[in-house]
């Protein structure tokens, strides 16, 4: 997609050639016990997004990541326990 964006003209409306939107997670920015592989993967997505944003800003390509946090569902609705588990020194 990036190659195609670099071939395009800069939009007169947005001032961009295109946008790259990556999907990450809050686990890419905070630690959670037992989630090393998932956390490292999401942290890599965050870093890649930041690096692309720096590298291609001059080329008028915007780069962002969406990093949702915990989504409460009927399957896993104990938010207080989840928050306590994420805290290295639980005080709740």
């Amino acid at each position: 997609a990036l190659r195609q964006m670099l071939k395009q003209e800069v939009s007169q409306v947005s001032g961009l050639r295109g946008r790259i939107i990556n999907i990450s997670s809050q686990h890419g920015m905070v630690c959670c016990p037992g989630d090393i592989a998932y956390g490292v993967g999401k942290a890599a997505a965050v870093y890649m997004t930041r690096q692309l944003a720096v590298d291609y800003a001059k080329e008028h390509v915007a780069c962002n990541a969406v990093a949702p946090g915990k989504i409460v569902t009927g399957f896993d609705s104990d938010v207080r326990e989840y928050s306590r588990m994420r805290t290295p020194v639980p005080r709740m």
Side-chain angles (χ1 to χ4, degrees), residues 62-78:
C63 206
N64 299 95
V66 177
K70 177 72 174 164
I71 298 172
V72 180
T73 65
F75 180 72
D76 184 17
S77 60
D78 192 356

Side-chain angles (χ1 to χ4, degrees), residues 1-23 48-49 52-53 56-57 59-66:
L2 184 58
R3 286 186 202 153
Q4 180 61 38
M5 287 179 198
L6 295 175
K7 292 177 187 177
Q8 296 175 165
E9 295 294 321
V10 176
S11 169
Q12 292 179 357
V13 175
S14 67
L16 296 171
R17 286 189 167 130
R19 295 179 186 273
I20 296 172
I21 302 173
N22 293 319
I23 307 298
M48 180 183 70
T49 302
L52 286 169
Y56 291 98
E59 300 293 333
H60 302 282
V61 175
C63 206
N64 299 95
V66 177

Side-chain angles (χ1 to χ4, degrees), residues 21-73:
I21 302 173
N22 293 319
I23 307 298
S24 183
S25 167
Q26 291 296 314
H27 286 278
M29 295 172 267
V30 296
C31 295
C32 189
D35 280 346
I36 191 166
Y38 184 78
V40 167
K42 294 304 179 176
V46 170
Y47 182 83
M48 180 183 70
T49 302
R50 289 178 177 168
Q51 192 64 52
L52 286 169
V54 169
D55 289 347
Y56 291 98
K58 292 180 182 176
E59 300 293 333
H60 302 282
V61 175
C63 206
N64 299 95
V66 177
K70 177 72 174 164
I71 298 172
V72 180
T73 65

